[in-house]
Amino acid sequence: ESELVEAEWWVHSRPSSGHEGHQLHYDLEEGAMEAEGRVVHPAVSSVVYLTDASNPTLVLEQTRGGPPAVRGWCAHPRAGAFLTFPGDFLHGVLPAPGAGLGHGVSSHGVGLGAGEIGAAAGG
C-alpha cells in the first residue's frame, strides 16, 4: 500500500455558451506519456464544484484496456460539493443544452498520487 505524497491540480473554465460538456477521458500524467510512453494515473481524482451552474459529471467504472463499464455514477453539481473517485476511471462532463445560462462553467480538479506524477513531469 502506497502513501499519497503529492497533489496536482487544474482548473476548467468554459464560457456560458459552451454546453457541450467535456469529453470522456482518463486523468494521467501527460509528460510521462509524451516523454516515455508510460501511463501514470493519480491514485484519486476529484472535482470541486464552484457553482451550481454546471453540467453533471459522469464517472464510469472503466479503466484503460479494461472491459467496458457495467457501472457508473452521475454527480450533479452543487456549489462547494467535492467529488472523488479512483484516478484511473473514465469520466467526463455530460452535455446539457441550456445548463448554466448566464454563468461560466467552472470546476477545480485535484489528482492525488504516490509520487510518480511529479517525478514523471520532472518536478
Side-chain angles (χ1 to χ4, degrees):
E1 185 174 323
S2 64
E3 292 184 26
L4 300 179
V5 296
E6 65 182 25
E8 176 183 67
W9 65 276
W10 56 94
V11 176
H12 292 284
S13 183
R14 299 194 183 355
S16 60
S17 60
H19 306 298
E20 57 279 345
H22 186 82
Q23 72 274 7
L24 291 174
H25 65 280
Y26 297 97
D27 288 344
L28 53 89
E29 172 48 56
E30 293 180 18
M33 174 82 88
E34 292 171 8
E36 306 166 22
R38 284 190 318 127
V39 176
V40 178
H41 298 285
V44 177
S45 290
S46 67
V47 177
V48 177
Y49 295 99
L50 303 179
T51 70
D52 295 338
S54 183
N55 300 347
T57 300
L58 176 67
V59 178
L60 299 172
E61 190 176 43
Q62 180 173 329
T63 57
R64 289 186 82 235
V70 294
R71 249 183 359 169
W73 301 267
C74 186
H76 292 268
R78 216 175 45 227
F82 182 61
L83 168 67
T84 62
F85 52 92
D88 60 348
F89 277 14
L90 184 64
H91 62 283
V93 179
L94 296 174
L101 287 176
H103 304 281
V105 175
S106 297
S107 63
H108 285 205
V110 177
L112 303 173
E116 285 207 60
I117 293 176

